[in-house]
Amino acid sequence: MPNPKRRHSQQRSAKRRTHYKAEATTLSTDSTTGELHVRHRAHVSEGKLFYKGKLVAEKAPIKK
C-alpha cells in the first residue's frame, strides 16, 4: 500500500478540513399535532409516537 514520502504540514491538513461544516438540522411541523420535529424521524407527542402525521404506536418506547 502506498505511503506518503514526506509529512504533510498542519496548514495543509487545515486547508483540507475547512469545508467540513456543521449544518443545522431541518425542522418540520407535524400536520396532525402541530409540533416541530426533525425531518424523516418519528417523534413523541403526548406519549404517542407519530411518523408522517400518522399514529405509529400508542405508547412511546422506553429510552435507556
Side-chain angles (χ1 to χ4, degrees):
M1 210 168 144
N3 287 320
K5 203 164 205 174
R6 302 220 181 276
R7 184 174 188 267
H8 283 242
S9 67
Q10 292 175 351
Q11 183 179 12
R12 187 181 183 99
S13 301
K15 283 181 185 177
R16 183 180 66 248
R17 292 183 184 127
T18 58
H19 303 291
Y20 301 145
K21 296 179 180 80
E23 295 180 10
T25 56
T26 306
L27 297 176
S28 293
T29 306
D30 189 17
S31 58
T32 309
T33 61
E35 287 193 17
L36 281 176
H37 63 91
V38 182
R39 295 194 65 152
H40 306 292
R41 300 286 186 276
H43 65 282
V44 178
S45 175
E46 299 174 5
K48 298 175 183 175
L49 189 65
F50 286 90
Y51 183 69
K52 290 187 177 179
K54 297 176 185 170
L55 182 65
V56 179
E58 282 292 324
K59 290 187 177 180
I62 299 171
K63 293 184 180 179
K64 292 182 180 181

